[in-house]
Amino acid sequence: MADLFVIEAPFKAQLLEGILRELHVDAKVQATRGHFMSMPGKLRPLGIDCRMREFMRVPANPEVFMRLRDMARSADNLYIATDADQEGDVIAWDVYEAVRDIHPSPARVRLKSMDHASIREAIAAAGPVEKAAAVPGRARGIIDRMIGGVFGSPEVPAGRVSTAILGLVASRGLSVTKVRLAAPSKDRGRPWLAEFDLAAPLDLPTAERLAKLDLPPLGSRGSPVVHPTKPSHTGDILVRAGDRLDISPAEAAASLQRSYEAGRMSYPRAGSRGMTPETAKQIAGIFRKSGWTAVKTENFAAKGEDETHEAPHPIGAVDPRLNPGRLGQDEGVRTLVAADLVKAGMEHKRETAFAQDLAPFLRAQGLPGEVADFVAGLRPGRDGATLTWHREHGPAYPGQEVWARSGIERRRPDTVLLEAVVKAGLGRPSTWPRHVQTFMDRGLADDDLKLTPRGRAWVEGSYAPLLDPRLSAAIEVACERVDPSLFDDPDREPWEVMVDQIVNLLPPSVRDPLREAVAHEPPRQKIDWVGKLDARPDLVGRLAQYVSRPEYAPDL
């Protein structure tokens, strides 16, 4: 009998089945078609009891649920190869619970890429399905549903991440204008550079005037020091694609995904800025053969032990020397990733300039004292950071601008917003593009990222504590801490215990409404969907109606 592999997307299922056949693996592949179990799309009723159990959580596609069980009965071995991220871990555990009476020990396969070598390695490294891996995703889903259902309204929806992004735009004054100033060096070497977002005390006319000035030569503050460049994580790549290729975060993410599914890119939704020694050695070897001899294995930052994925990187041949803007969107993004990795594999040093002498020069040009002092690094900007002038020393790398000049760049608003979202710790690599796209599509901010009348009305209509990005980021971090004590209560799932603990730690203004919303719901027993559907096949059709129409609530 053939083995059975379970994956999420039907297209990937077809691709994986073909590759397995070429690898001489006798297997069938079944797609879950997204989430295997789900709550109703509507947020009210919450469907969460007083002990944080999602009692309205049902098979998302009852026919797929039953088909998977049928296929599992005839399979010699079961491999769960859903995405190796938190959503995939949730689906993997749901699938395990649906088939564990048939296959008590299915293997968890974490695919790094959809190429032959990566799939072969992933199968060889398969391990058990771990309940602990599903805890962050399940806990986050419960909290996010509670926040949306309790604090949202038909006029102004609420979301732990979406409302925090609204607050970020309302409070931070994000700038879509990047200013770069260049000053000559007293040693006649490479010019010194200073880059900053346009903000007080500067306005656009002042910045344009600065960019046209011939600034005086600057001297060095000291010897150059090693300044490593880490490989880019998903957020970095999406920002670079916006700046270099003028595409949205959603478009760049789609390109990464297509390259991943074609076996030409590693896993594309990674928060790591590091690599394993094996991958670093492989990439360094490829680049050195292409003429980038300064790329060394030891220069790549290492992946953290607690990180599931490495920084995204190309699989197969790629030429970093090519202009990404002339290669088409998918190959352009892929080549851009490769070019940045070349630099990450080299050793560069950064030298800082003594820029204080710029202040009297700029005052003599008639510029305000606060502007002169900011440019000279004598006073911080609005974000509290002091401007530094620097230059780079080291081997050449793709896309390097050796003799830079002053200038002003207008950036895409969605790219700027994504950069701020990542920096604030909002969301995750898999959700960043969607959150940014949703915010822009709602018309809450204009092309300068200034709130529109609709955006200001949403701020007024939002629950004030949720507008603070720090609350959302803190919940995000808390959901990652899977302590063994979460599993101590035999009557509760670990994610239910985690949600209880997190809600208790929230500010009273948030904690109390959440508690009140579920206090009236008595504790529910966990539903055995395997036994229920096996005993009553007629429920499959009724359940399908319930999933598509939550208001239709048969006695399930």
Side-chain angles (χ1 to χ4, degrees):
M1 301 295 286
D3 293 337
L4 176 61
F5 281 72
V6 180
I7 203 165
E8 284 153 277
F11 171 78
K12 286 176 63 178
Q14 296 174 9
L15 177 63
L16 178 60
E17 191 164 302
I19 294 175
L20 290 172
R21 189 180 307 114
E22 293 170 3
L23 293 174
H24 306 292
V25 177
D26 184 17
K28 298 292 184 181
V29 182
Q30 172 63 44
T32 65
R33 298 180 179 272
H35 280 284
F36 196 62
M37 304 286 291
S38 65
M39 291 285 280
K42 293 184 178 180
L43 295 176
R44 295 173 183 170
L46 283 178
I48 299 169
D49 72 20
C50 61
R51 303 193 77 192
M52 305 303 175
R53 174 159 292 169
E54 297 171 291
F55 62 86
M56 294 179 71
R57 194 169 187 263
V58 302
N61 189 321
E63 293 182 354
V64 170
F65 186 99
M66 299 304 292
R67 186 185 310 128
L68 179 61
R69 284 184 52 77
D70 288 342
M71 296 179 72
R73 290 187 182 97
S74 60
D76 289 334
N77 300 290
L78 178 63
Y79 296 88
I80 301 178
T82 51
D83 286 349
D85 55 19
Q86 291 185 359
E87 288 84 356
D89 286 332
V90 168
I91 297 171
W93 184 256
D94 287 339
V95 170
Y96 166 74
E97 291 203 307
V99 299
R100 64 181 175 183
D101 60 321
I102 305 169
H103 286 275
S105 302
R108 178 73 167 106
V109 176
R110 295 179 175 273
L111 299 176
K112 294 172 59 178
S113 182
M114 294 298 290
D115 65 293
H116 291 62
S118 296
I119 290 173
R120 186 187 298 112
E121 292 173 5
I123 294 173
V129 182
E130 297 180 347
K131 189 173 190 176
V135 173
R138 288 295 305 272
R140 186 182 291 104
I142 296 171
I143 292 175
D144 287 356
R145 182 175 180 86
M146 292 176 71
I147 287 175
V150 171
F151 298 113
S153 68
E155 296 76 23
V156 181
R160 177 180 59 83
V161 177
S162 61
T163 304
I165 292 176
L166 177 62
L168 188 70
V169 174
S171 63
R172 300 286 174 89
L174 303 178
S175 174
V176 299
T177 303
K178 176 79 74 176
V179 181
R180 180 175 63 180
L181 300 179
S185 174
K186 288 183 177 180
D187 64 7
R188 298 185 180 181
R190 287 181 178 175
W192 302 97
L193 292 178
E195 293 182 307
F196 54 92
D197 295 327
L198 182 64
L202 274 76
D203 55 19
L204 184 57
T206 303
E208 291 173 339
R209 185 179 171 192
L210 277 170
K212 294 177 182 178
L213 288 176
D214 291 325
L215 299 176
L218 304 180
S220 176
R221 184 180 289 275
S223 299
V225 297
V226 175
H227 186 75
T229 300
K230 292 185 176 182
S232 299
H233 67 24
T234 297
D236 302 326
I237 293 170
L238 302 185
V239 169
R240 285 277 286 152
D243 286 337
R244 285 289 305 277
L245 305 178
D246 192 26
I247 58 177
S248 71
E251 290 172 324
S255 286
L256 289 173
Q257 180 67 20
R258 286 191 291 268
S259 293
Y260 166 67
E261 292 174 353
R264 293 173 59 76
M265 196 79 200
S266 69
Y267 187 75
R269 296 181 293 279
S272 174
R273 291 188 173 106
M275 295 180 170
T276 63
E278 295 77 15
T279 299
K281 181 178 180 180
Q282 181 182 20
I283 291 176
I286 293 173
F287 288 157
R288 284 199 296 270
K289 289 180 181 179
S290 300
W292 304 99
T293 57
V295 176
K296 307 293 183 184
T297 301
E298 59 270 20
N299 290 333
F300 289 104
K303 180 179 78 70
E305 293 184 1
D306 59 337
E307 294 176 323
T308 302
H309 295 288
E310 303 172 276
H313 53 274
I315 303 293
V318 62
D319 189 348
R321 295 169 297 182
L322 299 178
N323 183 344
R326 298 179 179 178
L327 300 177
Q329 183 173 302
D330 291 359
E331 192 60 22
V333 172
R334 186 170 172 271
T335 301
L336 185 64
V337 174
D340 289 346
L341 280 174
V342 170
K343 183 180 180 182
M346 296 175 170
E347 181 179 283
H348 289 89
K349 294 184 177 181
R350 176 169 287 193
E351 186 180 7
T352 304
F354 185 85
Q356 283 84 340
D357 291 344
L358 284 175
F361 169 82
L362 295 174
R363 282 189 173 88
Q365 304 301 311
L367 290 165
E370 59 180 357
V371 171
D373 288 345
F374 167 72
V375 173
L378 297 175
R379 61 170 290 167
R382 187 177 62 182
D383 60 357
T386 301
L387 189 64
T388 60
W389 291 75
H390 63 270
R391 62 180 178 179
E392 212 170 40
H393 299 273
Y397 53 85
Q400 182 181 24
E401 191 175 6
V402 179
W403 215 262
R405 298 180 178 180
S406 297
I408 296 175
E409 173 193 2
R410 182 174 176 83
R411 306 174 68 199
R412 292 180 60 100
D414 49 10
T415 297
V416 173
L417 180 58
L418 172 65
E419 192 173 55
V421 164
V422 173
K423 185 177 181 180
L426 303 178
R428 305 180 312 287
S430 60
T431 64
W432 287 333
R434 173 171 54 83
H435 283 306
V436 170
Q437 188 68 50
T438 298
F439 181 89
M440 300 303 298
D441 289 346
R442 283 173 167 169
L444 303 177
D446 59 22
D447 288 343
D448 292 321
L449 284 181
K450 307 300 180 187
L451 290 177
T452 61
R454 177 181 173 86
R456 290 192 292 272
W458 275 43
V459 170
E460 290 296 322
S462 295
Y463 193 62
L466 299 182
L467 291 167
D468 188 342
R470 294 173 298 180
L471 178 65
S472 177
I475 293 174
E476 197 77 55
V477 172
C479 287
E480 301 293 330
R481 297 171 178 165
V482 183
D483 189 86
S485 63
L486 296 173
F487 297 80
D488 290 347
D489 189 340
D491 296 325
R492 301 182 71 189
E493 296 287 10
W495 41 83
E496 298 165 0
V497 179
M498 174 180 275
V499 172
D500 234 347
Q501 294 176 353
I502 292 174
V503 170
N504 282 339
L505 293 173
L506 294 175
S509 59
V510 179
R511 179 195 64 208
D512 294 347
L514 294 181
R515 284 285 180 202
E516 292 170 6
V518 298
H520 68 285
E521 291 287 0
R524 302 306 214 289
Q525 294 296 317
K526 182 178 179 179
I527 297 176
D528 175 17
W529 283 108
V530 170
K532 185 179 283 288
L533 292 177
D534 279 351
R536 292 184 56 191
D538 63 294
L539 280 181
V540 173
R542 298 175 66 193
L543 190 58
Q545 287 183 284
Y546 170 71
V547 170
S548 61
R549 293 171 50 211
E551 66 274 12
Y552 171 73
D555 180 15
L556 300 176

